[in-house]
Amino acid sequence: MIRHMLAPALALLAATPAAAQEALSLDARVNEIFAQATGPFVNFIFAPFYGTNFPWIVMWLVVAATVFTLYFGFVQFRFFGHAIRLVKGDYSDPEDAGEVSHFQALATALSGTVGLGNIAGVAVAVGIGGPGATFWMILAGLLGMASKFTECTLGVKYRNEYEDGTVSGGPMYYLSKGFRELGLPGGGFLAVLFSIFCILGALGGGNMFQANQAHAQISGIVGDYPGWITGLVFAFVVFLVIVGGIRSIARVTEKIVPFMGILYVGAALIILIVEYDKIGWAFGQIFAGAFSGLGVAGGLVGALIQGFKRAAFSNEAGVGSAAIAHSAVRTKEPITEGFVSLLEPLIDTVVICTMTALVITISGQLIMDPETGRFVLDEAGAIATVDGNTGVALTSAAFAEGISWFPYVLAIAVVLFAFSTMISWSYYGLKAWTYLFGEGRVKELVFKLIFCAFVVVGAAANLGPVIDFSDAAIFSMAVVNIFGLYFLMKIVRRELGSYSKRLRGGQIVAYKS
Amino acid sequence: MTTKLVVGLDGHASGERALDFAVNQARLIGDCGLVVAYVIEWSPFSFHSAEENAQRHKRREEEISTVMTRVIEPAVRKLEKLGLSVTGKVRHGDVADTLNAIAKEQKAAQIIVARSSEGGFSSRIFGSSTFNLVKSADLPVTVVQ
């Protein structure tokens, strides 16, 4: 139906077969130039350890999350209940009513992370690494809670509060100020480096990947058409919001996105309840695949790499982006936002990503050899799927097995998630941009126009180069951020010790019981 | 002991009616202080963009300043001219809960509010602030027509 309704509009845009051919070849040219330009950067970030196929960047993230977990004594579990009470507002001073609450800071950060990573990213992980990737994804999510705690505490502690009442925070501020406070050199350099990578991350994972997958989803429903058309439409709407200041569009999205998130989780739950008899089998696949690989490329290591990669891409723990979003909260105790932020990887990865993975596993979309119980691989080395789907199309097909009309809802959800993530990342990128070049209307406009242009490139390019660049850009932020966190984590431990003591001693009391 | 009355203002004619009623009550009581309050509807569980959050403190101060200038200060001046003891309050929050909280803080005898004149679709479904206040208040509430 929708295909028929949109067909005339698309026909107008690609009036003749020759024009359509030219348009598609334009996509191919954009893709080729983009892949060539970003190749060396991508290759460096994903370079494996010598003699192995294990990317050093994945190890970098996992080791950091493990170090923070141990260093803070499993803070993600010890303070989980306290984090919930903070989000509920039990410790919020009534005098601060009207300021940014813990819930609002968390919700804003989540709107930048919950999205395509949970829908398309998980499908990529499970499609290449098999169901076993889910196990490593959950583990990465649990460990990543400690990374998020560390960076968000610092984000609030070292934010800039300007005279006009606005705030700016994030790794660029805590790297420069924190290092200076400790008398360490190089903080300013790290802040600049982080800002450069943050701009690339904003243009990659926060923009191109979103536009790319939104186009894949729309063309899956209305039929194939050139990606730059989706790109132009998206770029125009993003332009209206971030340049035109038309906040009503962003406001409507802010209201709908949480609803779509609940709808997505609800649909996954319904499918899991209906297929409850397969849940035990699916978890069996997840555990078996986690340690044996069940025939996926790279075996155990292949599943592990995919799980860790996609978890990091989805929840952004250690990347530093969340520290920008969380830094606006109103609190006298920076560490309280750290506690709240540790819920983010839990919701994003442990809950939502796991649900997506279970639905895909149960759906039977991944082709398995019934005789050997191992997955059948396609020419590219990924697991063969029933209709050859990858990414968001695989998730869509998996949900359609349970709820036939759900792909339409998912398409709307993907477009809205993509849009809200773009708006969030345009802000993160802008903060990094203004850190480098200073504030000012013209300087900000330049970044915003570049951001809009990349929407078109992202929608026109193929998934492969876009996803590689997006991952590389996001992970390069983590290289700088985590390096800095190792030096600054003792400040967080001091805050944690002081807060715990006062909480136990009754000096910090709840306003609501 | 001075009796205190809390008057909920809304910046409209309905709030003025509540204020006029409160003035009459105060004169009848004699030793009476008035607290004129305006609650800016706000929820800690609403959703905002990162940019809005970064500017929230500034916006909050602007909102309080605007209400003070346009609603509270004119009301305070008017009552002071009438020789009444009056204080003004501006808070963010749920209107019913916050008016009730102010009244309890001030140890007020009652809350005076106007019947909501702008009962739109949402108030029909979820109930107006006045209705919610009447339902949940810990002290007497007078609703002025």
Side-chain angles (χ1 to χ4, degrees):
Chain A
M1 181 67 166
I2 295 170
R3 185 192 293 256
H4 291 303
M5 286 162 65
L6 290 179
L10 294 175
L12 276 174
L13 287 161
T16 63
Q21 190 62 41
E22 200 173 300
L24 286 170
S25 67
L26 177 66
D27 276 11
R29 277 205 298 277
V30 169
N31 189 53
E32 193 183 324
I33 294 166
F34 180 72
Q36 279 174 359
T38 58
F41 172 60
V42 171
N43 290 341
F44 168 70
I45 292 293
F46 293 115
F49 282 115
Y50 184 72
T52 71
N53 63 349
F54 202 101
W56 68 272
I57 188 71
V58 175
M59 185 64 89
W60 177 255
L61 286 161
V62 177
V63 167
T66 311
V67 167
F68 298 137
T69 298
L70 296 173
Y71 188 73
F72 297 114
F74 294 90
V75 65
Q76 61 267 60
F77 305 117
R78 287 195 296 132
F79 283 87
F80 179 77
H82 189 61
I84 300 285
R85 289 198 69 189
L86 285 165
V87 173
K88 278 169 60 195
D90 291 358
Y91 287 86
S92 299
D93 187 344
E95 291 295 317
D96 288 339
E99 302 280 3
V100 178
S101 66
H102 284 301
F103 174 89
Q104 285 166 335
L106 176 66
T108 302
L110 271 170
S111 80
T113 53
V114 173
L116 288 173
N118 308 73
I119 301 171
V122 174
V124 171
V126 177
I128 299 172
T134 315
F135 175 88
W136 301 111
M137 212 159 54
I138 294 171
L139 185 65
L142 291 172
L143 293 172
M145 290 165 78
S147 305
K148 199 77 103 167
F149 161 78
T150 315
E151 62 192 7
C152 290
T153 300
L154 291 167
V156 177
K157 186 172 171 63
Y158 293 106
R159 65 186 169 186
N160 272 6
E161 292 181 57
Y162 301 105
E163 279 181 15
D164 69 355
T166 58
V167 293
S168 279
M172 48 281 193
Y173 295 96
Y174 62 66
L175 288 169
S176 54
K177 289 186 188 177
F179 270 56
R180 199 181 309 135
E181 191 178 298
L182 293 174
L184 295 169
F189 171 73
L190 288 175
V192 168
L193 204 57
F194 176 84
S195 299
I196 294 168
F197 290 144
C198 183
I199 292 166
L200 291 178
L203 297 176
N207 178 338
M208 295 173 65
F209 176 68
Q210 311 297 325
N212 185 282
Q213 288 294 279
H215 170 69
Q217 187 63 202
I218 297 168
S219 60
I221 288 178
V222 304
D224 199 20
Y225 69 98
W228 58 265
I229 297 174
T230 306
L232 278 181
V233 173
F234 255 75
F236 179 67
V237 182
V238 170
F239 179 88
L240 286 179
V241 175
I242 67 173
V243 181
I246 301 180
R247 295 183 190 282
S248 53
I249 299 171
R251 282 209 189 97
V252 170
T253 314
E254 286 150 22
K255 303 282 181 294
I256 296 174
V257 163
F259 172 72
M260 297 305 281
I262 293 164
L263 193 69
Y264 181 77
V265 172
L269 270 176
I270 289 168
I271 290 171
L272 295 175
I273 290 167
V274 171
E275 305 271 4
Y276 72 95
D277 53 328
K278 291 183 187 167
I279 293 176
W281 171 82
F283 272 111
Q285 289 284 299
I286 288 169
F287 282 105
F291 299 101
S292 71
L294 289 176
V296 303
L300 183 157
V301 177
L304 186 146
I305 292 170
Q306 284 303 321
F308 279 143
K309 256 173 87 171
R310 304 264 53 94
F313 187 75
S314 177
N315 66 40
E316 296 165 18
V319 166
S321 53
I324 303 173
H326 282 277
S327 65
V329 73
R330 183 71 171 185
T331 178
K332 294 174 189 77
E333 302 281 351
I335 202 150
T336 55
E337 196 54 25
F339 294 136
V340 168
S341 71
L342 60 77
L343 297 174
E344 217 184 308
L346 181 87
I347 297 168
D348 178 277
T349 309
V350 179
V351 177
I352 304 181
C353 284
T354 305
M355 283 192 167
T356 305
L358 281 172
V359 171
I360 292 172
T361 306
I362 285 172
S363 71
Q365 285 288 315
L366 305 174
I367 299 173
M368 188 178 257
D369 185 339
E371 287 184 12
T372 62
R374 294 167 76 82
F375 289 106
V376 177
L377 302 185
D378 63 16
E379 288 168 4
I383 298 172
T385 54
V386 173
D387 298 312
N389 290 321
T390 58
V392 72
L394 176 58
T395 309
S396 187
F399 272 83
E401 291 285 330
I403 305 170
S404 61
W405 48 265
F406 196 74
Y408 296 105
V409 177
L410 192 66
I412 297 167
V414 164
V415 171
L416 287 170
F417 282 149
F419 182 70
S420 77
T421 305
M422 280 182 191
I423 300 300
S424 296
W425 272 91
S426 72
Y427 177 74
Y428 303 159
L430 183 65
K431 287 283 117 183
W433 182 270
T434 54
Y435 184 83
L436 287 179
F437 302 109
E439 311 216 352
R441 284 180 65 85
V442 177
K443 288 171 188 166
E444 291 179 16
L445 183 65
V446 170
F447 172 77
K448 288 171 178 176
L449 291 175
I450 293 170
F451 193 85
C452 291
F454 270 76
V455 177
V456 184
V457 179
N462 284 348
L463 178 63
V466 167
I467 210 165
D468 287 346
F469 173 70
S470 301
D471 283 355
I474 297 268
F475 289 149
S476 58
M477 290 166 69
V479 174
V480 184
N481 185 44
I482 288 172
F483 180 78
L485 292 181
Y486 282 134
F487 289 95
L488 300 174
M489 65 185 184
K490 61 182 169 190
I491 296 171
V492 179
R493 189 152 79 171
R494 204 164 58 212
E495 295 267 329
L496 179 62
S498 159
Y499 186 86
S500 305
K501 199 173 161 190
R502 284 179 289 138
L503 190 64
R504 280 198 305 272
Q507 286 125 293
I508 294 171
V509 287
Y511 289 91
K512 286 186 229 166
S513 54
Chain B
M1 188 181 151
T2 305
T3 304
K4 279 199 173 170
L5 304 177
V6 170
V7 190
L9 300 184
D10 59 3
H12 296 289
S14 47
E16 289 297 315
R17 289 200 301 275
L19 195 61
D20 292 342
F21 178 83
V23 168
N24 287 333
Q25 291 296 301
R27 281 177 172 156
L28 289 171
I29 293 166
D31 184 12
C32 182
L34 291 172
V35 179
V36 288
Y38 187 107
V39 180
I40 302 166
E41 186 70 46
W42 173 84
S43 166
F45 302 110
S46 56
F47 297 92
H48 301 287
S49 69
E51 192 171 7
E52 280 177 310
N53 281 352
Q55 295 178 345
R56 184 61 212 147
H57 180 68
K58 181 186 171 190
R59 297 264 176 270
R60 178 183 184 266
E61 298 303 306
E62 287 169 356
E63 286 163 7
I64 291 172
S65 167
T66 303
V67 170
M68 269 293 181
T69 314
R70 292 188 187 170
V71 182
I72 296 296
E73 284 170 2
V76 168
R77 277 198 298 274
K78 178 180 164 181
L79 298 188
E80 280 175 345
K81 273 185 191 167
L82 296 172
L84 292 164
S85 160
V86 58
T87 50
K89 299 254 175 220
V90 181
R91 294 262 178 91
H92 284 78
D94 174 80
V95 175
D97 291 348
T98 310
L99 277 179
N100 188 47
I102 292 171
K104 280 165 72 181
E105 274 167 32
Q106 298 288 327
K107 297 189 170 56
Q110 65 168 304
I111 305 169
I112 299 167
V113 287
R115 191 179 69 178
S116 176
S117 54
E118 286 117 290
F121 180 71
S122 62
S123 70
R124 280 163 216 249
I125 300 289
F126 303 109
S128 68
S129 298
T130 304
F131 181 63
N132 290 338
L133 179 65
V134 170
K135 272 199 308 182
S136 62
D138 294 313
L139 59 157
V141 178
T142 299
V143 180
V144 178
Q145 287 284 355

